[in-house]
């Protein structure tokens, strides 16, 4: 299966703490993306990092990419209750026209 | 103003029936996709279309037939529905191979 793995599967933190999620993938990539899915809703794009980039920031989000280890991490700083959601990494698998999703991390931010 | 819309939002039907899910995007994108999310939240690409042409068909049963009447629409028709087809189906669109924007999903339950 091309499906990537995310770690941890579930994460529970207190509001204000940082949350770190990790993603590993199997094939070469052109880019890696992170998406958020609130319960019962569609996916919302958060950030895209290209294979020649090592780190990228967007607001409270920080993404790193290590292509030698085929892994990425998403850091959410100063978490809020509204950050409670499932987070998925997705790669293009080196090919165009599709995304290969990881298994997702369920984040719970307690008020 | 919805960027990617899907209808219906919920679909409950009997085994053996034929059903269609419609998807429309108003983003001017040239590429559209169908993904399936199973009960364990795994997301998997089913089809992708670029400029109304099928680009990817990820070993989806022949009972699933996508149709793209124009670049803004990608419909999914499912024949002879089976219990295992129960899932959430997401439509998405992108400009070429860029960031994908997802619809709200169609929750299909086959009884």
């Amino acid at each position: 299966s091309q499906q990537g793995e995310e770690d941890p599967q579930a994460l529970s933190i207190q509001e204000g703490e940082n949350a770190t999620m990790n993603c590993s993938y199997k094939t070469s990539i052109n880019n890696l993306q992170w998406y958020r899915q609130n319960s019962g809703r569609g996916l919302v794009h958060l950030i895209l990092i290209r294979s020649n980039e090592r780190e990228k920031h967007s607001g409270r989000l920080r993404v790193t990419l290590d292509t030698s280890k085929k892994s990425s991490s998403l850091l959410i700083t100063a978490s809020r209750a509204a950050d409670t959601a499932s987070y998925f990494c997705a790669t293009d698998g080196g090919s165009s026209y599709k995304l290969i999703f990881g298994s997702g991390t369920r984040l719970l931010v307690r008020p | 103003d919805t960027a990617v819309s899907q209808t219906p939002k919920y679909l409950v039907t009997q085994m053996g029936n034929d059903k269609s899910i419609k998807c429309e995007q108003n983003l001017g994108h040239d590429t559209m996709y169908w993904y399936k999310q199973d009960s364990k939240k795994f997301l998997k690409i089913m089809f992708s279309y670029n400029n109304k042409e099928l680009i990817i068909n990820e070993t989806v049963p022949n009972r699933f037939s996508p149709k793209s009447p124009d670049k803004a629409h990608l419909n999914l028709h499912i024949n002879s529905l089976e219990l295992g087809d129960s899932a959430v189906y997401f439509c998405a669109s992108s400009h070429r191979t860029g960031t994908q924007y997802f619809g709200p999903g169609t929750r299909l339950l086959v009884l």
Side-chain angles (χ1 to χ4, degrees), chain A residues 3 15 25-26 28-29 31 33 37-38 43-44 47 60 62 66 68 76 81 89 91 93-95 101 104:
Chain A
Q3 203 84 33
E15 204 165 27
Y25 56 91
K26 298 180 181 179
S28 61
I29 63 171
N31 62 65
Q33 304 181 48
Q37 184 179 30
N38 290 80
L43 285 91
V44 175
I47 195 165
R60 294 184 295 113
R62 173 177 166 252
D66 186 337
S68 66
I76 304 174
C89 67
T91 64
S95 160
F101 281 86

Side-chain angles (χ1 to χ4, degrees), chain B residues 30-67:
Chain B
D30 55 9
T31 307
M32 295 185 73
Y33 312 80
W34 278 108
Y35 288 86
K36 179 180 179 180
Q37 187 173 42
D38 64 21
S39 57
K40 294 183 179 177
K41 304 296 183 188
F42 287 121
L43 270 153
K44 194 168 180 188
I45 181 76
M46 297 174 70
F47 302 102
S48 67
Y49 269 71
N50 176 253
N51 287 318
K52 302 195 302 173
E53 288 199 23
L54 179 66
I55 302 294
I56 285 179
N57 178 343
E58 284 284 304
T59 60
V60 177
N62 290 340
R63 298 183 296 103
F64 291 79
S65 53
K67 282 189 172 52

Side-chain angles (χ1 to χ4, degrees), chain B residues 14 21 27 37 44 64 84 91 96:
Chain B
Q14 299 287 330
I21 307 172
L27 297 167
Q37 187 173 42
K44 194 168 180 188
F64 291 79
C91 177
R96 295 184 186 172

Side-chain angles (χ1 to χ4, degrees), chain A residues 3 33 35 37 40-43 45 48 88 96-99 101 103, chain B residues 33 35 37 41-43 48 55-56 58 90 97 99-100 102-103 107:
Chain A
Q3 203 84 33
Q33 304 181 48
Y35 285 82
Q37 184 179 30
R41 309 290 286 272
L43 285 91
H45 181 260
L48 181 151
F88 294 89
S96 305
Y97 302 112
K98 70 177 179 183
L99 288 177
F101 281 86
S103 48
Chain B
Y33 312 80
Y35 288 86
Q37 187 173 42
K41 304 296 183 188
F42 287 121
L43 270 153
S48 67
I55 302 294
I56 285 179
E58 284 284 304
F90 287 99
T97 57
T99 297
Q100 294 187 20
F102 282 76
R107 284 141 193 83

